[in-house]
Amino acid sequence: ELAAEVAASIDLGALDRAVLSTHEIGEAASKVAVMGAVRRALVEAQRKFAASGAGAVLDGRDIGTVVCPDADVKLYVTATPEVRARRRHEEILSGGGVAEYEDILADIKKRDARDMNRADSPLKPAEDAYLIDTSEMDIESAFRATLDHVEDVLSAKQA
């Protein structure tokens, strides 16, 4: 399958975070994630990337459960669909784009349902993941909560 060949040849270190974070890329990723061969190729590429250096931060809907189940620190960061849609809408508008909040909310709900119900690597928190619900947090509070947890885990590991 051509899509799996392309997935296997991606240099994850060369990808642009700003591009990967767009609403359209998230939607596309969710749609190709149901293709087993593509998913397996990407999981293998992500595992190699995670193991290639002194450490890595990976962001994705199955990182803690499938890609890196033995990671030292696992976070499950979430917010309500309404909050995520509002944030995405504000991000698009601030970048000069045009979008409707209701359309974004519908897309997020569809993506969540598709990702939670797929047979291969469904979206769910790892049993040992630290849950951070950012619905009522600003970015600084979310960062602080995350950093505090990471420091706690790494300190305990070194003790």
Side-chain angles (χ1 to χ4, degrees), residues 1-13 15 32 35-49:
E1 174 173 284
L2 180 59
E5 288 177 35
V6 171
S9 67
I10 291 174
D11 177 0
L12 298 180
L15 298 176
V32 298
M35 299 176 186
V38 172
R39 181 160 251 347
R40 287 187 294 279
L42 289 175
V43 166
E44 185 58 32
Q46 290 170 316
R47 286 180 177 156
K48 286 180 185 173
F49 178 78

Side-chain angles (χ1 to χ4, degrees), residues 14-96:
L15 298 176
D16 183 339
R17 173 82 173 136
V19 172
L20 290 175
S21 297
T22 65
H23 181 70
E24 295 79 14
I25 295 297
E27 274 296 299
S30 178
K31 290 175 182 172
V32 298
V34 298
M35 299 176 186
V38 172
R39 181 160 251 347
R40 287 187 294 279
L42 289 175
V43 166
E44 185 58 32
Q46 290 170 316
R47 286 180 177 156
K48 286 180 185 173
F49 178 78
S52 66
V57 175
L58 279 72
D59 172 17
R61 292 185 156 211
D62 66 348
I63 300 299
T65 55
V66 175
V67 178
C68 297
D70 297 324
D72 291 334
V73 180
K74 295 180 203 168
L75 306 170
Y76 188 82
V77 182
T78 191
T80 66
E82 292 77 13
V83 168
R84 290 166 34 225
R86 178 182 49 79
R87 290 173 179 165
R88 179 66 67 177
H89 185 244
E90 290 171 0
E91 179 183 39
I92 291 169
L93 296 181
S94 71

Side-chain angles (χ1 to χ4, degrees), residues 65-145:
T65 55
V66 175
V67 178
C68 297
D70 297 324
D72 291 334
V73 180
K74 295 180 203 168
L75 306 170
Y76 188 82
V77 182
T78 191
T80 66
E82 292 77 13
V83 168
R84 290 166 34 225
R86 178 182 49 79
R87 290 173 179 165
R88 179 66 67 177
H89 185 244
E90 290 171 0
E91 179 183 39
I92 291 169
L93 296 181
S94 71
V98 176
E100 294 295 327
Y101 167 82
E102 293 79 13
D103 294 340
I104 294 170
L105 179 58
D107 286 348
I108 284 173
K109 287 180 176 181
K110 281 190 282 189
R111 179 181 178 196
D112 287 352
R114 185 171 51 242
D115 290 353
M116 287 176 186
N117 294 309
R118 67 180 176 228
D120 195 4
S121 306
L123 166 63
K124 64 180 180 179
E127 289 183 20
D128 57 344
Y130 181 70
L131 176 65
I132 301 174
D133 186 334
T134 67
S135 297
E136 301 295 324
M137 293 182 181
D138 62 14
I139 194 166
E140 186 60 36
S141 299
F143 176 76
R144 177 50 47 199

